[in-house]
Structures are given as C-alpha cells and as structure tokens.
Amino acid sequence: MNRPTPMLLRGYRCECHTSSPSNSDATTLLGSLDVETAPQAVRWIRVAVRTLSPALNSEAFEEAWQWLSEDHHDALQALVQGEPVTLTLHQGATTIQWTARPVQFLKLTTRQGINLPACIKEYGGPARQRE
C-alpha cells in the first residue's frame, strides 16, 4: 500500500541582506536559498562568507574567520534544534547579515514523471535544483 505524500516538508530558508547609510539603511535582499537540511543551510552561509572574506576589513575578517572556523558548529546545532541563526558582519558603514531558519514548505506539486524541457539534462534536472 502506498503511503500518502506529506503536504508539509521541513526545510530551511537562508537569506543574505545588506544595509548601509548610502541607501537610507534600507535592507536589501542579496540572495536567498531554500534547502532541505541544516548542514546545507550552514554550508551556504560558509561558502558566501568565505568568498567575501578577502574583501573585508580586518575586524570583519576576524569575526568572519571565527564563525567559519568554530562558531558555525553552534549555528548548525541551533538549526537542528529548531532555532534560527544569524551572522552579522560590519564592513565600514555597511552591515551584511546572513540568516537561516527552520521552515515548513507546502508541497504544491511534483515535477517527476512529466515532460520537462530538453535543457533540463544540461543543468542537472530536478534533483539538483534544491542543492
């Protein structure tokens, strides 16, 4: 007997925002990602911070490196326990903030078993879209 597919899927919402006096301290969403696991959420933040770290001033670089080398373990544990996490860095007058939080996604439809465009093979198919 087939089990019904759950309508709600657990996952994590990751976002990166910036704000600075030059844009009236309005928050700007730079990027976002929905992932299935806490390690994927932490990995997304780590990759972004590691990519940005060479351009940071020394104080922000030290904070970033502390999070990359040690504090990300605490972030992972918090997400696993259902708590949101935030990493905030200050680069001059600009604030950069990464967040990850547990969410439930409403499963609307599945794309498996239907005709997909030919280019889907080139980009990895539905299984790679959530990575």
Side-chain angles (χ1 to χ4, degrees):
M1 179 171 174
N2 290 340
R3 298 177 92 176
T5 303
M7 292 300 292
L8 292 176
L9 304 173
R10 295 185 187 272
Y12 298 86
R13 175 71 178 176
C14 308
E15 297 178 345
C16 179
H17 295 268
T18 63
S19 62
S20 67
S22 66
N23 66 354
S24 304
D25 287 321
T27 301
T28 302
L29 177 65
L30 291 182
S32 63
L33 180 71
D34 298 327
V35 296
E36 296 176 359
T37 67
Q40 290 171 327
V42 170
R43 184 179 319 119
W44 182 76
I45 296 171
R46 292 186 76 205
V47 167
V49 172
R50 195 176 300 125
T51 302
L52 181 64
S53 65
L56 296 173
N57 62 35
S58 60
E59 184 178 326
F61 179 85
E62 290 298 323
E63 289 179 43
W65 207 250
Q66 173 66 31
W67 196 89
L68 288 170
S69 60
E70 294 181 24
D71 296 347
H72 72 278
H73 296 293
D74 294 335
L76 178 59
Q77 196 63 23
L79 284 172
V80 168
Q81 294 174 357
E83 302 169 17
V85 298
T86 301
L87 171 61
T88 303
L89 299 176
H90 302 280
Q91 171 70 16
T94 300
T95 300
I96 310 163
Q97 185 173 72
W98 290 269
T99 60
R101 66 185 186 279
V103 295
Q104 290 188 353
F105 299 107
L106 179 60
K107 184 172 184 172
L108 298 177
T109 187
T110 180
R111 294 182 63 180
Q112 295 180 359
I114 63 172
N115 294 329
L116 298 173
C119 66
I120 201 71
K121 292 176 183 155
E122 183 177 338
Y123 296 105
R128 294 195 60 208
Q129 290 177 355
R130 292 203 61 145
E131 293 180 358

